[in-house]
């Protein structure tokens, strides 16, 4: 089953949005298979945002993401990578569709509440950056049969 890496960024945690955001993923039907609260190191942030090294927003984004704890999660489900990106909305909350997470909870691209992997390859890379295999739990839920055939 497909998995994706989701992170509630420092602004989301500080603004007490953790529960509301997790609720959306639960209610959609995705399954939580890993979760931790952590303070990201500079080294980990640079690895996470390696594709953006040298861009004008890189330094600001690294200092933002390391400024306060984040909630890192792995969610599982059918087409969860693209589905989670749809739920999150556009990178800039100012243009994210109303009703999406960023559209509902954010105002500015520098404080956009949530991260989600942009492809299955990114998901695999990011999951491995934040979690060991032993920290990801495979389990079944009785509700699974009500979510798909
Ligand atoms: O997070 P997403 O994949 O939607 O966007 P990205 O293009 O991969 O950028 C990564 C992160 O850098 C964004 O989520 C923002 O936190 C930040 N960023 C920014 O602050 N200003 C920009 N112009 C672009 C990105
Ligand atoms: Mg990205």
């Amino acid at each position: 089953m497909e998995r994706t890496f989701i992170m509630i960024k420092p602004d989301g945690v500080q603004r007490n949005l953790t529960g509301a955001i997790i609720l959306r993923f639960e209610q959609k039907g995705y399954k939580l298979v890993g979760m931790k609260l952590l303070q990201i190191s500079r080294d980990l942030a640079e690895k996470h945002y390696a594709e953006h090294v040298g861009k004008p927003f890189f330094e600001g984004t690294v200092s933002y993401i390391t400024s306060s704890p984040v909630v890192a999660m792995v969610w599982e489900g059918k087409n969860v990578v693209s589905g989670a990106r749809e739920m999150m909305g556009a990178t800039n909350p100012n243009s994210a569709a109303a009703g999406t997470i960023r559209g509902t909870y954010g105002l500015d691209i520098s404080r956009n509440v949530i991260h989600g992997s942009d492809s299955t390859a990114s998901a695999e890379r990011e999951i491995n950056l934040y979690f060991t295999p032993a920290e990801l739990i495979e389990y079944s839920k009785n509700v699974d049969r009500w979510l798909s055939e």
Side-chain angles (χ1 to χ4, degrees), residues 37-58:
L37 177 79
L38 78 154
Q39 177 96 34
I40 299 184
S41 65
R42 168 98 201 177
D43 181 60
L44 179 55
E46 286 179 357
K47 285 180 180 144
H48 179 126
Y49 286 122
E51 65 173 315
H52 298 306
V53 172
K55 294 183 186 170
F57 60 87
F58 180 75

Side-chain angles (χ1 to χ4, degrees), residues 10-67:
D11 50 331
V13 175
Q14 288 285 343
R15 292 175 55 210
N16 297 319
L17 298 174
T18 301
I21 292 169
I22 289 174
L23 184 65
R24 288 179 176 227
F25 284 84
E26 284 187 317
Q27 290 186 330
K28 170 73 176 169
Y30 298 137
K31 185 189 291 179
L32 185 64
V33 297
M35 178 162 74
K36 63 175 82 166
L37 177 79
L38 78 154
Q39 177 96 34
I40 299 184
S41 65
R42 168 98 201 177
D43 181 60
L44 179 55
E46 286 179 357
K47 285 180 180 144
H48 179 126
Y49 286 122
E51 65 173 315
H52 298 306
V53 172
K55 294 183 186 170
F57 60 87
F58 180 75
E59 276 303 324
T61 298
V62 166
S63 65
Y64 156 50
I65 217 71
T66 56
S67 64

Side-chain angles (χ1 to χ4, degrees), residues 9 49 51-52 57 61 64 85 88 90-91 102 109-110 112 114-116 118:
K9 293 182 174 181
Y49 286 122
E51 65 173 315
H52 298 306
F57 60 87
T61 298
Y64 156 50
R85 293 282 293 191
M88 287 162 51
T91 303
R102 286 163 167 171
I109 194 166
S110 67
N112 63 358
I114 187 168
H115 167 85
D118 64 7

Side-chain angles (χ1 to χ4, degrees), residues 59-79:
E59 276 303 324
T61 298
V62 166
S63 65
Y64 156 50
I65 217 71
T66 56
S67 64
S68 182
V70 302
V71 174
M73 297 174 282
V74 178
W75 287 89
E76 185 178 278
K78 192 174 182 183
N79 297 321

